[in-house]
Amino acid sequence: EESAILKAESEEMNLLMSGSALEQAKAYRVFMYLQIFTATLKSFAHGANDVANAAGPFAAVQGMYFGQDPCSISATIWVLILCGIGVILGLSISGHHVIKTIGR
């Protein structure tokens, strides 16, 4: 069964690599743009997750302060906007340090 998988992968690779250099260049260009697009979407999703992680505890404290029922607290739009601004400021102020650390 494992050899059938390897054989199928090599047949697909042979099919992909059997085209002319022009066809391969076109395919690389299409997939390059698709990869950039999916990386952009992933970065937006990651940023939205960071905002949600910041907004959850903040909304809980805000809801408790105003006497809301703990089971029905939800983040208001101004809390989400405030947390989004906080993430943006944090990245703009110290984001280059994070990039340096990850790049090492």
Side-chain angles (χ1 to χ4, degrees), residues 5 15 28 31 36 44 49 54 58 65 71 80 82 98 100 103:
I5 293 171
L15 181 64
Y28 285 138
F31 284 108
I36 291 170
F44 280 121
N49 184 38
F58 191 80
Y65 179 77
C71 295
L80 294 174
L82 184 66
V98 174
K100 281 183 190 176

Side-chain angles (χ1 to χ4, degrees), residues 39-90:
T40 303
L41 291 179
K42 176 141 176 57
S43 69
F44 280 121
H46 187 78
N49 184 38
D50 287 344
V51 171
N53 289 338
F58 191 80
V61 170
Q62 182 239 354
M64 297 296 269
Y65 179 77
F66 289 117
Q68 292 179 349
D69 179 28
C71 295
S72 64
I73 294 175
S74 62
T76 56
I77 190 70
W78 72 269
V79 170
L80 294 174
I81 291 171
L82 184 66
C83 291
I85 290 170
V87 169
I88 290 169
L89 286 174

Side-chain angles (χ1 to χ4, degrees), residues 7-53:
K7 184 178 179 185
E9 287 178 355
S10 70
E11 287 175 11
E12 291 170 353
M13 185 57 77
N14 288 335
L15 181 64
L16 287 172
M17 299 308 285
S18 66
S20 69
L22 181 62
E23 290 172 340
Q24 289 178 7
K26 287 180 184 179
Y28 285 138
R29 178 165 289 141
V30 167
F31 284 108
M32 177 184 68
Y33 289 120
L34 287 173
Q35 192 171 21
I36 291 170
F37 179 68
T38 57
T40 303
L41 291 179
K42 176 141 176 57
S43 69
F44 280 121
H46 187 78
N49 184 38
D50 287 344
V51 171
N53 289 338

